[in-house]
Amino acid sequence: MKFLFSALLLFVGTVTAARNGIDFIQPVTVATFQCIKNAGYSFMIPRVFTSLGSIDHTGINNVKNARAAGMTDVDGYIFPCLASHCPGGADQVKQTLDAIKSAGTKVSTLWLDIERLAWPADHNSNRAFIEAMVKEAQAYGQQVGIYSNYYNWQDIVGLDYHGQSNLMLWWAAYDGVKDFSKFAAFGGWTRPTIHQWQGTTAGPCGVSVDMNYVP
């Protein structure tokens, strides 16, 4: 019986280890982050750079507010700008990290949003752009990860490109299921770190969010 009770405790601990998180772009106050935290969401990923080529100061302020609310797992994501007037990939990362530092805060992980929007057809050029972003983040000592999925990766860099498989993967698949059961390996990844399982929806405490899950 003692063994059974211990096994049940282990099982309960395993089940409750799963964590829920959100990503979003709207401004959120410290009080609302406290509400979100109390609602059972343990990680936040605000946008910190936009696809228009500008720093997302709202997102950086969200990072600050989330930390002020007592959250420790606060990331940020860059939605790269591919237009000709935008700085190169490394410069976009540099500008973002400098702005985050100037704001007196930090992100635990900087995610690079690699999804289909204005990427050129040249896979080699796209690979080089991503590699420059990653190297710049690492030069800052910043932990960095990739946000993508099978079809985005296929179109942007090709499924044979495994150059970033050593990084964490934030897997986007709006399948409505909070697990990794439908994950198909790509880009050298055999398992994601985070699953973005639901797109824009009315989230906790009145915030419009995407829903994320970590087992």
Side-chain angles (χ1 to χ4, degrees):
M1 180 62 72
K2 182 177 180 181
F3 172 79
L4 177 60
F5 181 69
S6 298
L8 285 172
L9 284 177
L10 179 60
F11 175 76
V12 170
T14 301
V15 170
T16 57
R19 299 188 298 127
N20 296 307
I22 56 175
D23 65 276
F24 51 94
I25 60 174
Q26 72 185 78
V28 179
T29 65
V30 174
T32 300
F33 274 121
Q34 290 170 337
C35 174
I36 292 170
K37 180 181 177 183
N38 292 338
Y41 292 83
S42 63
F43 64 95
M44 311 286 127
I45 315 178
R47 185 183 64 186
V48 291
F49 190 92
T50 80
S51 59
L52 299 178
S54 59
I55 299 296
D56 190 334
H57 293 287
T58 295
I60 292 176
N61 196 55
N62 282 336
V63 172
K64 291 182 66 175
N65 287 349
R67 292 197 178 279
M71 306 201 73
T72 57
D73 195 349
V74 184
D75 298 345
Y77 75 90
I78 287 180
F79 201 139
C81 179
L82 286 303
S84 59
H85 69 271
C86 290
D91 283 341
Q92 292 183 37
V93 170
K94 181 181 187 304
Q95 290 178 19
T96 301
L97 292 176
D98 285 347
I100 290 170
K101 182 178 180 180
S102 293
T105 190
K106 63 180 180 178
V107 293
S108 301
T109 299
L110 182 67
W111 297 95
L112 308 180
D113 188 335
I114 311 302
E115 61 178 296
R116 289 170 288 195
L117 178 67
W119 285 88
D122 186 341
H123 284 181
N124 288 328
S125 173
N126 295 340
R127 293 175 183 185
F129 190 95
I130 294 168
E131 287 166 2
M133 297 184 80
V134 170
K135 288 178 181 177
E136 185 69 16
Q138 292 173 336
Y140 270 71
Q142 174 65 57
Q143 181 168 266
V144 60
I146 300 292
Y147 168 97
S148 198
N149 62 23
Y150 185 100
Y151 298 105
N152 283 310
W153 202 251
Q154 173 181 257
D155 288 356
I156 295 168
V157 295
L159 295 176
D160 60 328
Y161 178 59
H162 294 186
Q164 307 305 328
S165 60
N166 61 310
L167 302 180
M168 294 182 294
L169 174 66
W170 177 9
W171 172 51
Y174 301 156
D175 55 19
V177 181
K178 291 166 59 175
D179 61 31
F180 296 166
S181 62
K182 297 181 181 180
F183 179 76
F186 69 92
W189 289 289
T190 57
R191 180 181 173 85
T193 299
I194 303 175
H195 179 194
Q196 187 185 66
W197 61 275
Q198 185 174 359
T200 306
T201 187
C205 308
V207 180
S208 179
V209 302
D210 296 328
M211 295 292 192
N212 297 276
Y213 163 86
V214 172

